[in-house]
Amino acid sequence: MRRRRRPAERRPAEPRGHWFLVAIAALLMAGALLLNAYAHNVIGETRPPLRDFGDSAELERIRSGGPLVNVSGSRPLSARPKPRRVALTFDDGPDPRWTPRLLDLLREHHAKATFFVLGAHVAEHPELTRRVVAEGHEIGNHTYTHADLGAVPAWRARVEMSLTQKTLAAAAGIHTRLARIPYSSGPGAVGNGQLATMRLLGNEGYLVTFTDVDTQDWSRPPVDEMVLASLAHTVEGEGAVIMFHDSGGDRARTLAAVDRLLTRLERKGYTATTLTDAVGLPTAHTAASPDERVLGTVLGFAQRASFAFVEALGWFLAAAGVLTLLRLALFVALAWAHARRTRGRPANAGVPHWAAPPPVSVIVPAYNEAAGIAATVRSLVATGYPGPVEVVVVDDGSADETGRIAASLGLPGVRVIRQPNAGKPAALTTGIAHAAHDILVMVDGDTVFEPSTIGNLARPFADRTVGAVSGNTKVGNRRGMIGRWQHIEYVVGFNLDRRAFDLLGCMATVPGAIGAFRREAIASAGGVSADTLAEDTDLTMAISRRGWRVVYEERARAWTEAPASLGQLWRQRYRWCYGTLQAIWKHRGAVAERRPFGRRCLGYLALFQVILPLLAPVVDVMALYRLFVGDPLPVVAVWAGFVAVQALTGWYALRLDGERASVLWVLPLQQFVYRQLMYLVVIQSVATAVLGARLRWHTVRREGTFTLAGPPVPRPPVPRPSVPGPPISARRRGPVRGGPVRGGNAPRRRRSRP
């Protein structure tokens, strides 16, 4: 009986809604930063007001009156403290360091005081506000952020006062009728600007408080000077309002002055009390409504959360910066050690070598590679390797003329195998099965080799512990800005890292563009797997886990065609990153294995290629935040410092590869487009993996870079033959100066994978 076929399982589509979540997260982060900046008075009005003295009957009445003023009526009314009553007032608190010590001091002297608090500080330290009220002191409103109310719009002034009332409601269950205008002093200094603010506050039901004595303790004058200035207004038994501060800096002198002043006042028979008690009015506190308490609680929580978030971001940025610098320093040192090891000795000294050059099979998996397949095959045939070389081109169901072009070349040692489209891993498996030799070189159909490349790839296999060799991939189409950025990335981000990975024994990827494998090593890893979209990374990890060494050969150069547009670059890196995530997850068990490969390789990839890129947008948001709401100079200095370090690293990496350092002029620009594209790729890839979507293979459209012209030729670091035998120039003819082969009749345009 014939079985019915089950319908194909539908895989989730690539995610899209996560970008909405990312946008929401960015807005929440921006909101937290703005709230933090507002609460710390970083944005908005922060400078003391300009004096606008003016002259009118109303101003004269205020100036000649007492320090407590009511302007809610038709004319100002003022009040003075009663004889032998002193109202000590403290502005800008509460402060977690100084306010508790001040409260202890007041309790020792059995004194009461009035605290004109900032709403932002109340929200941050509600427990201190509760203690102030519980110990019988009085609270006044000093705005939320210490903004100059005369310099801001009326709506902002109302918001400043209203927010403070809400935080007081949440912290202590009260509202207050007392207010003090920031930057104010005695009533004799009131001008037209402050008069307008006083009217606004009067309409809101506030009594505006000035002072008889401004000790100016914020400027840290001598203690005796503050005490004498305060006592000067207590002659003949007069009362006074005296202003100090319990926040905003070192208040040790303020505490000492208050201690001495209270001692002197007690001897003179004065009472230190609250402001309303000093002038003979009922308490300024009123009960807050339940709604106000709820709103204040939400506001306080939001502000404290923003403070904690910004502080955590600061620590994260510091840690990320230190890790990045340490990584750069370590990898440069390891690259130097690798270069010294490979170049600082005679050729083949102390290194196993072949008695005779072994035969090599080159496998070229190709899908719709008509634009460059001819140049690729010609460069492989034109090798200077003295041993036998066969080239196996596997046409993986191309919809263009890839197979026909490769076969029509009629080059010796080249075989073309056609199969239905099954993907790159299947094409590689087919090529391995048809290959005749045990050393297998794998190369993409858009890549060309130099004449010495195959020999340089084969040389390390003289060591029986070597299972795979990574070559040196170079960007051929590097003339445009995107090409230059990728050129720098290939030299610094790929090839420099591979030198370090070689020494650490944790090579993550032998690139598909240029890599060589021992057939035995591939077999021990179970062949080329189709489990991931990064078959090269998957295979490399599997070989390393079987105990084989994977090394880097800098002299084995291959020239590849990099994506020429941002869209094509996105498609390629999206596939790379998603495939790498798949490989990390597949080989996660390596972390617990005895060999250090898993811990080193997977730990590095997880930290520097997943976690830090995922959090990279935070760096940009914080930089913009500091740039616009703070001093931009430190931001610019840090950015310039990192660019300088990257430039020095890039210069050294380019020097090791024999490349010109003049390309580094594009490095600063790379920070504003290329870097953002790369971390957005990581975000998209992680979202795709977490949501369980299956990413299809993204094909990059090729332009046939090597069909009409070859890439620039680098200056080789230290030229020397890679295997024993006669000089390459005496063996077979190849391209001039070691560059890739030019020529071919392949069309420039090609169709992308459907």
Side-chain angles (χ1 to χ4, degrees), residues 592-664:
E593 293 174 354
R594 187 170 62 179
R595 296 188 183 93
F597 166 78
R599 292 182 292 276
R600 293 176 182 175
C601 178
L602 300 188
Y604 173 86
L605 293 178
L607 179 60
F608 288 102
Q609 294 194 20
V610 180
I611 296 176
L612 290 183
L614 274 179
L615 299 175
V618 176
V619 178
D620 291 345
V621 173
M622 283 294 290
L624 291 174
Y625 168 72
R626 297 293 184 188
L627 195 63
F628 288 105
V629 305
D631 185 2
L633 185 58
V635 177
V636 175
V638 171
W639 176 81
F642 269 96
V643 171
V645 171
Q646 289 177 326
L648 288 173
T649 304
W651 169 83
Y652 182 66
L654 291 165
R655 182 173 179 270
L656 285 179
D657 262 22
E659 297 278 3
R660 295 179 180 178
S662 57
V663 71
L664 290 175

Side-chain angles (χ1 to χ4, degrees), residues 86-371:
V86 170
L88 298 181
T89 64
F90 299 92
D91 290 5
D92 299 349
D95 181 273
R97 179 180 180 186
W98 301 107
T99 302
R101 296 172 64 179
L102 178 61
L103 291 173
D104 293 341
L105 180 62
L106 293 172
R107 184 170 54 198
E108 291 176 6
H109 288 275
H110 305 286
K112 304 299 179 184
T114 302
F115 291 80
F116 286 92
V117 297
L118 296 177
H121 291 177
V122 173
E124 191 172 0
H125 307 290
E127 72 286 350
L128 293 179
T129 305
R130 286 192 289 270
R131 180 182 172 185
V132 169
V133 175
E135 295 186 4
H137 304 288
E138 199 165 43
I139 297 290
N141 192 332
H142 198 41
T143 75
Y144 196 79
T145 64
H146 205 273
D148 174 20
L149 299 184
V152 300
W155 67 265
R156 165 78 185 276
R158 293 189 181 94
V159 167
E160 288 278 333
M161 305 302 290
S162 176
L163 291 179
T164 302
Q165 294 283 31
K166 288 179 173 57
T167 58
L168 290 174
I174 64 167
H175 280 176
T176 180
R177 295 186 297 115
L178 294 179
R180 174 170 279 166
I181 302 172
Y183 308 109
S184 64
S185 183
V190 174
N192 287 323
Q194 285 192 338
L195 178 58
T197 303
M198 293 172 64
R199 289 171 179 162
L200 185 150
L201 295 178
N203 293 334
E204 296 290 324
Y206 288 100
L207 299 176
V208 182
T209 306
F210 294 98
T211 183
D212 292 313
V213 181
D214 183 359
T215 61
Q216 297 187 355
D217 59 337
W218 52 268
S219 63
R220 301 177 65 185
V223 173
D224 291 339
E225 183 178 317
M226 289 188 283
V227 173
L228 292 176
S230 301
L231 292 174
H233 285 74
T234 61
V235 296
E236 299 179 359
E238 295 181 359
V241 177
I242 304 174
M243 181 169 66
F244 292 96
H245 295 78
D246 64 330
S247 183
D250 188 347
R251 292 290 172 251
R253 294 188 181 186
T254 297
L255 291 176
V258 170
D259 188 16
R260 294 188 192 180
L261 177 61
L262 289 174
T263 302
R264 297 283 294 274
L265 291 174
E266 290 168 5
R267 293 174 183 173
K268 296 176 66 174
Y270 274 77
T271 300
T273 186
T274 63
L275 180 60
T276 54
D277 184 61
V279 300
L281 293 176
T283 177
H285 295 169
T286 59
S289 67
D291 292 344
E292 291 289 294
R293 295 187 183 189
V294 171
L295 292 174
T297 301
V298 173
L299 175 61
F301 174 79
Q303 181 178 306
R304 290 190 295 275
S306 72
F307 287 1
F309 177 72
V310 173
E311 184 177 5
L313 285 184
W315 283 106
F316 161 73
L317 293 180
V322 170
L323 285 174
T324 301
L325 292 176
L326 288 177
R327 172 190 170 276
L328 288 174
L330 175 63
F331 275 45
V332 167
L334 291 174
W336 173 83
H338 183 273
R340 185 177 181 183
R341 186 186 71 175
T342 57
R343 302 178 185 177
R345 61 190 176 195
N348 301 318
V351 178
H353 59 276
W354 301 101
V360 174
S361 295
V362 183
I363 302 171
V364 186
Y367 175 82
N368 287 354
E369 296 288 358

Side-chain angles (χ1 to χ4, degrees), residues 232-536:
H233 285 74
T234 61
V235 296
E236 299 179 359
E238 295 181 359
V241 177
I242 304 174
M243 181 169 66
F244 292 96
H245 295 78
D246 64 330
S247 183
D250 188 347
R251 292 290 172 251
R253 294 188 181 186
T254 297
L255 291 176
V258 170
D259 188 16
R260 294 188 192 180
L261 177 61
L262 289 174
T263 302
R264 297 283 294 274
L265 291 174
E266 290 168 5
R267 293 174 183 173
K268 296 176 66 174
Y270 274 77
T271 300
T273 186
T274 63
L275 180 60
T276 54
D277 184 61
V279 300
L281 293 176
T283 177
H285 295 169
T286 59
S289 67
D291 292 344
E292 291 289 294
R293 295 187 183 189
V294 171
L295 292 174
T297 301
V298 173
L299 175 61
F301 174 79
Q303 181 178 306
R304 290 190 295 275
S306 72
F307 287 1
F309 177 72
V310 173
E311 184 177 5
L313 285 184
W315 283 106
F316 161 73
L317 293 180
V322 170
L323 285 174
T324 301
L325 292 176
L326 288 177
R327 172 190 170 276
L328 288 174
L330 175 63
F331 275 45
V332 167
L334 291 174
W336 173 83
H338 183 273
R340 185 177 181 183
R341 186 186 71 175
T342 57
R343 302 178 185 177
R345 61 190 176 195
N348 301 318
V351 178
H353 59 276
W354 301 101
V360 174
S361 295
V362 183
I363 302 171
V364 186
Y367 175 82
N368 287 354
E369 296 288 358
I373 191 64
T376 298
V377 175
R378 290 180 187 276
S379 72
L380 299 174
V381 173
T383 180
Y385 183 64
V389 175
E390 69 165 350
V391 178
V392 181
V393 179
V394 182
D395 181 8
D396 186 36
S398 298
D400 59 10
E401 300 296 320
T402 298
R404 186 192 63 79
I405 293 172
S408 66
L409 295 176
L411 297 174
V414 177
R415 285 186 292 157
V416 178
I417 301 172
R418 293 179 173 88
Q419 68 176 29
N421 180 251
K424 187 177 179 181
L428 288 172
T429 301
T430 299
I432 293 171
H434 286 81
H437 308 308
D438 290 332
I439 294 181
L440 306 172
V441 174
M442 299 179 185
V443 55
D444 288 340
D446 60 349
T447 304
V448 296
F449 276 13
E450 296 181 4
S452 62
T453 298
I454 294 178
N456 286 323
L457 285 173
R459 181 185 60 82
F461 287 106
D463 184 345
R464 287 294 305 169
T465 64
V466 173
V469 180
S470 170
N472 187 343
T473 312
K474 315 291 287 184
V475 174
N477 53 332
R478 60 178 72 169
R479 291 185 176 84
M481 185 67 69
I482 298 176
R484 290 186 175 95
W485 284 338
Q486 292 177 87
H487 168 46
I488 294 175
E489 182 186 30
Y490 270 66
V491 174
V492 180
F494 297 160
N495 295 334
L496 187 69
D497 288 2
R498 287 193 177 99
R499 299 174 193 272
F501 294 152
D502 188 343
L503 292 183
L504 295 175
C506 60
M507 190 78 68
T509 304
V510 173
I514 174 172
F517 299 85
R518 193 185 299 275
R519 184 187 292 270
E520 183 183 352
I522 295 178
S524 69
V528 181
S529 172
D531 293 340
T532 74
L533 290 183
E535 81 293 330
D536 48 4

